[in-house]
């Protein structure tokens, strides 16, 4: 029960990594308020967590909706101890010169501006109550250069620097600001990209020292740690959770798929 009696607002938590994080936080004793652009999805996710949890709709890229979301959470719970900026939209995977400005703007608005707006709205309450923890979703795309992922990569790199700046600015208020950078995680979105032939899982596994794609729970557990008092002296960092993907730099495969046991899909 590492998060017992804490109140956590998690954006974009109707599915995927956000829902996995909400589930882990609830397990650890937190009272979770699930946000999603689709309010019905937020409500269904909150109900799935059990009694005592809540839901709130809202678009994180719209300042008025963010203010209403935060006010509703404070009115319901009285405080916000943890904020997880998870809301996001998928990338297009098309060459930069073929990407319309509207695509660039939407990804920047949701990922980067959304993280900024919700953090800014929650921080005053955290300052009044004496502290809190803000967790942002970066990505290996914000650390490494991934062709054709222009807007997504720029937004995620911006989140990495925003995390550092806010971690330094709000440290005196006992507000810790950290980020997690997931590698390739087997979510429904990733499964769809694999099915469409836009991601080659075998190639990813060969490039990943641990030889597999991650699970949503791998990200959720890192979030639990960073949100807990066990990370009380950690702020301003981006923690890669990627099976060693960002660390590997040799001009060869990181993992030999031939070494896998076909019965377990592990070495």
């Amino acid at each position: 029960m590492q998060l017992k009696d804490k109140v956590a607002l998690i954006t974009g938590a109707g599915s995927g990594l956000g829902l996995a994080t909400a589930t882990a936080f609830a397990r650890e004793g937190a009272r979770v308020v699930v946000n999603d652009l689709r309010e019905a999805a937020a409500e269904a996710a909150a109900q799935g967590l059990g009694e005592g949890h809540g839901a709130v709709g809202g678009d994180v890229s719209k300042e008025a909706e963010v203010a209403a979301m935060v006010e509703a959470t404070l009115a319901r719970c009285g405080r916000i101890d943890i904020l997880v900026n998870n809301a996001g939209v998928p990338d297009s995977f098309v060459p930069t010169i073929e990407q319309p400005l509207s695509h660039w703007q939407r990804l920047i608005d949701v990922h980067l501006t959304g993280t900024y707006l919700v953090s800014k709205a929650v921080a005053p309450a955290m300052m009044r109550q004496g502290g809190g923890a803000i967790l942002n979703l970066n990505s290996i795309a914000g650390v490494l250069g991934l062709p054709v992922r222009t807007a997504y990569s720029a937004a995620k790199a911006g989140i990495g620097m925003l995390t550092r700046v806010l971690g330094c600015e709000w440290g005196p208020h006992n507000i810790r600001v950290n980020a997690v950078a997931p590698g390739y995680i087997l979510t429904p979105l990733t499964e769809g990209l694999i099915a469409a032939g836009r991601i080659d899982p075998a190639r990813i596994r060969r490039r990943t020292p641990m030889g597999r794609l991650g699970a949503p729970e791998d990200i959720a557990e890192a979030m639990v740690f960073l949100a807990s008092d066990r990370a009380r002296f950690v702020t301003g960092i981006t923690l890669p959770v990627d099976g060693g993907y960002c660390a590997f730099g040799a001009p060869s495969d990181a993992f030999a798929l031939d070494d896998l046991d076909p019965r377990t899909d592990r070495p």
Side-chain angles (χ1 to χ4, degrees), residues 51-105:
E51 294 185 6
H53 305 289
V56 61
D59 184 339
V60 299
S61 70
K62 303 290 188 350
E63 190 168 16
E65 294 188 30
V66 167
M69 173 204 319
V70 172
E71 289 170 8
T73 303
L74 291 172
R76 179 187 180 103
C77 303
R79 59 190 294 119
I80 299 174
D81 301 290
I82 304 164
L83 166 65
V84 180
N85 286 304
N86 170 80
V89 290
D91 203 354
S92 64
F93 290 81
V94 300
T96 301
I97 60 174
E98 298 175 16
Q99 295 175 17
L101 178 59
S102 59
H103 172 72
W104 165 277
Q105 197 62 61

Side-chain angles (χ1 to χ4, degrees), residues 4-265:
K4 184 174 173 55
D5 300 325
K6 303 288 188 182
V7 174
L9 171 61
I10 307 178
T11 68
S15 62
L17 298 182
L19 180 55
T21 300
T23 301
F25 279 22
R27 180 201 71 210
E28 293 296 331
R31 184 181 182 187
V32 179
V33 176
V34 176
N35 157 263
D36 202 274
L37 181 62
R38 306 156 299 156
E39 190 166 359
E43 291 173 350
Q47 290 175 4
L49 298 177
E51 294 185 6
H53 305 289
V56 61
D59 184 339
V60 299
S61 70
K62 303 290 188 350
E63 190 168 16
E65 294 188 30
V66 167
M69 173 204 319
V70 172
E71 289 170 8
T73 303
L74 291 172
R76 179 187 180 103
C77 303
R79 59 190 294 119
I80 299 174
D81 301 290
I82 304 164
L83 166 65
V84 180
N85 286 304
N86 170 80
V89 290
D91 203 354
S92 64
F93 290 81
V94 300
T96 301
I97 60 174
E98 298 175 16
Q99 295 175 17
L101 178 59
S102 59
H103 172 72
W104 165 277
Q105 197 62 61
R106 181 60 177 159
L107 266 68
I108 296 294
D109 285 349
V110 174
H111 290 274
L112 181 54
T113 304
T115 297
Y116 162 78
L117 286 176
V118 185
S119 299
K120 180 182 175 184
V122 167
M126 289 186 171
M127 291 175 184
R128 289 193 299 270
Q129 69 198 27
I134 296 175
L135 305 179
N136 299 325
L137 257 292
N138 196 337
S139 167
I140 59 170
V143 179
L144 302 173
L146 302 184
V148 309
R149 306 204 63 187
T150 323
Y152 184 84
S153 296
K156 290 301 187 179
I159 287 172
M161 183 51 70
L162 182 64
T163 298
R164 296 177 70 174
V165 170
L166 296 184
C168 295
E169 182 177 342
W170 293 345
H173 299 282
N174 196 35
I175 299 173
R176 298 184 298 104
V177 186
N178 293 297
V180 169
Y184 287 94
I185 308 298
L186 202 55
T187 63
L189 175 62
T190 305
E191 290 173 345
L193 292 171
I194 291 171
R198 304 181 85 170
I199 288 180
D200 180 353
R203 195 170 186 176
I204 292 169
R205 293 166 71 190
R206 286 196 299 269
R207 172 64 177 73
T208 304
M210 295 191 74
R212 64 178 178 87
L213 279 71
E217 292 74 20
D218 296 326
I219 306 304
E221 295 303 329
M223 290 286 194
V224 168
F225 167 70
L226 289 173
S228 75
D229 290 341
R230 293 184 178 184
R232 61 185 176 272
F233 201 51
V234 179
T235 196
I237 69 157
T238 290
L239 173 66
V241 184
D242 62 357
Y245 193 97
C246 286
F248 185 74
S252 61
D253 287 347
F255 184 85
L257 294 185
D258 292 342
D259 292 341
L260 290 178
D261 184 335
R263 296 166 298 179
T264 64
D265 203 32

